Amino acid sequence: MSYLVQGKKGEQRLFMGNEAIARGALEAGISVAAGYPGTPSSEIIENLAKVSKERHLYVEWSVNEKVALEVAAAASFAGLRALCVMKQNGVNVASDFLLHLAGSGTRAGLVLVPCDDPGALSSVNEGESRHFARLVEIPLLEPGNFQEAKEMVRYAFTLSEELRTLVMVRSVTRLSHASGNVTLGELPPTGSKAYFKHDGFILDQMEGAVISSPVEYKHTLQQERVQKAAELFEESPFNTYCGPPDPEVLLITSSACNLYSKEAVRLLQAESRVGILKMGTTWPLPPRFVERHLRMADTILIVEEVLPFLEESVKILAAELAPTIGVKTFYGKRDGTIPATGEMNPDRVVQGLARVLGIDYQPVSESYAQKALESAFFGAPERDLTFCPGCPHRASFWSIHNALQLDHRQGFVCGDIGCYSLAMRPTGYETLKTLHAMGSGTGVASGFGMLREFGLDQPVLAVSGDSTFFHAVMPALANAAHHGANITVVVLDNSGTAMTGFQPHPGLTVDAAGKAVQALDIRRICEAMGVEVRQCDPFDLAATQAALLELISSRQGPNVLILKQLCALSPERKGKRRFNMHIVETICMGENCGCNRLCTRVFKCPGLIWDKVKKVSRIDDVICAGCGVCASICPAGAIQKEAV
């Protein structure tokens, strides 16, 4: 039994934020959970999948975030509480259906949990999801600690059913991935039944058809729901104030910034001067509650991440209330007191708050700061972001790079998000020349592929992973096939959503809960679109390169090369070597070889080390994965492999 469902009401558990969110959903009595993997959100669905059998849940990794929200919405329409989970980028993908769902409304409780990534710790942008709540007019909640992460999710289902609308609960990386004590509530009985009533009066939310028209009528209902939410939030226990009754500065904050703010006030010993208003219901704001606290001080500092979302809402409210509360002086992101990019932390809040309070605060001595700076610059070992030892992507990009060099037409590769994004860097021989959203590599390549009549004669390639193929590449490939774009799409199939933890996708034979399901064949899908398809093992460098040269020479519309090899870290391959590798030192001429240390200078697998004393390359047996590819790139034949 998973520890997620162990323990009695009132007992405490140490939960990661994502576990607390999952527990909150279980205590709310959900029946369905769907999502698409992406850091920092993935552990929510993973933990729910582990308990799906004993809690009678349906849990799935959907093909993309829009479909995940559609799956969860269907459960709501059929009377079952449902949770939908994604990272911040996913809300962009889901936004089309999100806009319609906000208009049609919901039935049983439906909660969307987007996990944002301020600072882009594991993303390629730090876009935030909060603006979608205001855009589509649904309530937004932001937990300020781990207990609230659980309690707020449970409350969100009640709120969703009271208002008959989707409710958004936004988490951030530091809340999702850090841990804290959580007091357990009670798990309800299982066994909910689904039934979709659809033959009632057309305007009956609970029995008629679920649609967003008549649009003006339904839009009016949306705005009435938001007004009702604001009224309910006036008494919300998730909005709290701590500090003196007449603070010199009122600090307004939300989410994990609540914890940073508390620490900053403590470090500055400003408890008697600063009051902290923590908002858990950040849209719509409860006007009377906020007004009461704005009256407490004339100086307001707003701390949040990333953009000034809360700041703008408070300022609008303050402008409307100016005749009764007077003119306030605001500090925050718009005046630069708090940075509007990157992840917040206590140091950043200290700097901003010290400036507002007029405190000359020095967190560390200048000599210590200088020593730390020098140690970080000169003392840290030099290392680049790189593919793992034995990663099939290194071999794939070795072949792609070499094929483009041999072709001599300045060909290029369009990429998207996955482990293979590292091919922007030297580890992938700087092969990727564009990098945007999932599936955008193929879509952008499709555009390039239509520019022949404008003189573009360069070979155009796109790369994607196997999970990304199902997520967003299929429509882009259909577009390329339909219009005859002259491109080569390389599917880097490592048999899993490797970057986020090997979650299953439609190409595999198991689902999120481990149940056997039908696997979809990427090759057959591509062929059904009328596209020529080849498949190679990327570890076979010669065959891969030959196939690439042939495909990029083709001028008959799109074609696809599937490079299929298990991820080196996959459960099926991890710890299992194909070859024992060794270097014959008498053959390796090191820097005197004509290759000029090709293996350690260019190929750069971490399993290869340059021995500065012996002036030869050697194998690091601890981390070598035994893929055998390096034996193929040594021109002298000094790297040798023996089958295990």
Side-chain angles (χ1 to χ4, degrees), residues 1-7 15 23 26 51 54-55 187:
M1 178 184 291
S2 168
Y3 70 96
L4 193 67
V5 295
Q6 293 176 338
F15 278 153
R23 173 74 190 199
L26 292 174
V51 300
E54 57 195 290
R55 294 300 305 169
L187 292 175

Side-chain angles (χ1 to χ4, degrees), residues 1 81 135 167 171 181 187 235 248 270 272 324 394 407 422 454 500 504 551 554 587 592:
M1 178 184 291
R81 287 187 168 186
L135 174 68
V167 174
S171 181
N181 284 343
L187 292 175
E235 304 299 326
E248 182 181 335
S272 63
T324 58
R394 177 180 286 99
D407 181 82
L422 287 172
F454 299 98
T500 52
L551 290 172
S554 171
I587 298 177
N592 296 321

Side-chain angles (χ1 to χ4, degrees), residues 300-452:
I300 315 294
L301 171 64
I302 301 178
V303 178
E304 60 187 317
E305 55 189 2
V306 177
L307 298 174
F309 178 86
L310 181 60
E311 181 178 337
E312 290 174 356
S313 296
V314 171
K315 283 181 174 176
I316 291 171
L317 198 54
E320 294 171 349
L321 296 170
T324 58
I325 66 172
V327 177
K328 306 294 179 181
T329 301
F330 285 94
Y331 296 93
K333 294 176 181 291
R334 291 185 62 83
D335 73 328
T337 301
I338 299 293
T341 60
E343 188 180 34
M344 292 297 295
N345 58 47
D347 288 341
R348 284 183 153 190
V349 182
V350 164
Q351 290 174 12
L353 183 57
R355 175 182 158 190
V356 173
L357 291 172
I359 297 176
D360 184 16
Y361 179 76
Q362 184 69 37
V364 295
S365 68
E366 290 186 11
S367 60
Y368 181 89
Q370 181 63 28
K371 187 176 179 180
L373 181 65
E374 292 175 356
S375 297
F377 189 80
F378 298 108
E382 184 181 352
R383 58 179 298 196
D384 190 16
L385 290 172
T386 186
F387 292 128
C388 303
C391 176
H393 297 339
R394 177 180 286 99
S396 296
F397 283 106
W398 181 267
S399 296
I400 294 170
H401 172 80
N402 289 345
L404 291 174
Q405 293 298 307
L406 289 169
D407 181 82
H408 289 301
R409 286 183 293 163
Q410 290 292 302
F412 56 91
V413 183
C414 303
D416 57 34
I417 307 303
C419 305
Y420 47 93
S421 302
L422 287 172
M424 291 286 292
R425 305 178 68 87
T427 188
Y429 321 110
E430 299 175 337
T431 309
L432 290 190
K433 301 304 181 187
T434 71
L435 176 60
H436 297 90
M438 293 182 71
S440 292
T442 303
V444 171
S446 176
F448 279 123
M450 300 304 296
L451 302 181
R452 190 185 306 164

